[in-house]
Amino acid sequence: MRREELVRYLDELLEAARFRDYCPNGLQVEGAGEVARIVAGVTACQALIDAAVERGADTLLVHHGWFWRGEDGRVTGFRKARMRTLLAHDINLVAYHLPLDAHPELGNNARLAELLGWRAEGRFGEQDIGWVGRPAAPQTLAELERRVAGALRRTPLTIGDPARRIERLAWCSGGAQGYFEQAVALGVDAFLSGEISEQTVHLARESGVAYLSAGHHATERLGVQALAGHLAAKFGLDCEFVDIDNPV
């Protein structure tokens, strides 16, 4: 498959043009013109790049790419090392950030709902990134925490009364603790995201709405993994998800 065909397909599938993002979506570093073997992962770190090299990949597909707004744009130090490895092996870097959070079927939040058995009822937050809905059945916060821990293979940091009844909840993968106040205003019983801040604890205690911080990496493995599986099924591409563990 030609690189341009792949990127054009992904841009359209994920509606990349409609998002105001913090980084460029789509092709970030140009490599081989023909795409046959894709390594997918959460973040384009050196370890994932090295894994792509070891597997003979021509394309690296990630959720967290490069060239973030506000970061130093000079290619020195670790940035030089990462770039040098990609260019030396003619590997494309393709990244989708907010488009991969928001997609209704393949996105991180959609896959979280599928994995945890939640029924989505609506969206909220900037560009409708956050989701709101209900668990399959009412449960206590302690029961919800155990289910999340088992599904994501990580025990969340939970703020709230373990006995609280959870009937309605909101969620947003990654670093979405800034959406917590909006979730509280929706009248939910709990909010799950990937990260937590100092002030989040106080809002949870004062509002009575439980907060689960389930890991930025853990909550964002699902979308890029689903996207790689979709590409393999649709185009017959050799796609492998490589999980570079991250405790955050």
Side-chain angles (χ1 to χ4, degrees):
M1 184 177 194
R2 294 294 300 169
R3 178 188 62 237
E4 292 81 4
E5 293 177 280
L6 173 66
V7 174
R8 183 167 55 250
Y9 175 78
L10 290 172
D11 283 349
E12 293 175 358
L13 174 68
L14 300 174
E15 299 181 284
R18 79 176 178 87
F19 290 91
R20 303 182 305 279
D21 214 331
Y22 318 108
C23 61
N25 287 297
L27 182 64
Q28 292 189 340
V29 178
E30 184 178 304
E34 287 290 334
V35 175
R37 179 147 178 69
I38 296 174
V39 162
V42 177
T43 299
C45 61
Q46 188 67 52
L48 185 61
I49 297 168
D50 290 342
V53 172
E54 290 169 7
R55 289 160 172 78
D58 48 61
T59 301
L60 185 60
L61 175 64
V62 298
H63 180 51
H64 298 141
W66 297 348
F67 313 117
W68 296 92
R69 186 172 66 204
E71 81 173 4
D72 191 337
R74 292 173 292 184
V75 183
T76 60
F78 72 89
R79 293 186 181 88
K80 175 187 175 182
R82 292 175 177 178
M83 183 75 78
R84 178 175 54 206
T85 307
L86 275 186
L87 295 177
H89 294 88
D90 207 23
I91 298 174
N92 297 294
L93 176 60
V94 179
Y96 291 94
H97 184 230
L98 294 184
L100 193 51
D101 288 319
H103 193 272
E105 296 175 1
L106 301 173
N108 288 313
N109 292 314
R111 302 315 299 170
L112 274 172
E114 177 72 20
L115 180 66
L116 293 164
W118 297 344
R119 184 176 71 254
E121 296 179 338
R123 303 282 193 99
F124 74 100
E126 181 185 4
Q127 303 179 80
D128 286 335
I129 299 296
W131 289 43
V132 62
R134 298 179 184 274
Q139 56 201 259
T140 66
L141 177 59
E143 290 169 335
L144 176 62
E145 180 184 47
R146 286 195 294 271
R147 181 162 179 78
V148 170
L152 296 182
R153 307 191 305 276
R154 174 195 168 105
T155 301
L157 171 59
T158 303
I159 309 298
D161 179 0
R164 176 173 178 131
R165 184 176 172 88
I166 308 299
E167 297 186 5
R168 194 161 180 260
L169 72 167
W171 64 95
C172 189
S173 68
Q177 60 268 51
Y179 290 166
F180 186 31
E181 190 169 351
Q182 294 180 54
V184 170
L186 292 172
V188 300
D189 303 306
F191 179 67
L192 178 143
S193 185
E195 296 187 13
I196 189 169
S197 298
E198 188 272 346
Q199 63 267 29
T200 312
V201 177
H202 301 295
L203 180 55
R205 289 171 176 169
E206 293 168 24
S207 67
V209 177
Y211 190 96
L212 296 91
S213 173
H216 195 134
H217 178 86
T219 58
E220 298 200 322
R221 287 190 298 238
L222 305 174
V224 72
Q225 194 169 5
L227 184 59
H230 172 82
L231 292 175
K234 186 172 183 65
F235 298 111
L237 296 169
D238 184 351
C239 298
E240 179 183 357
F241 175 75
V242 176
D243 192 12
I244 305 297
D245 187 50
N246 187 329
V248 174

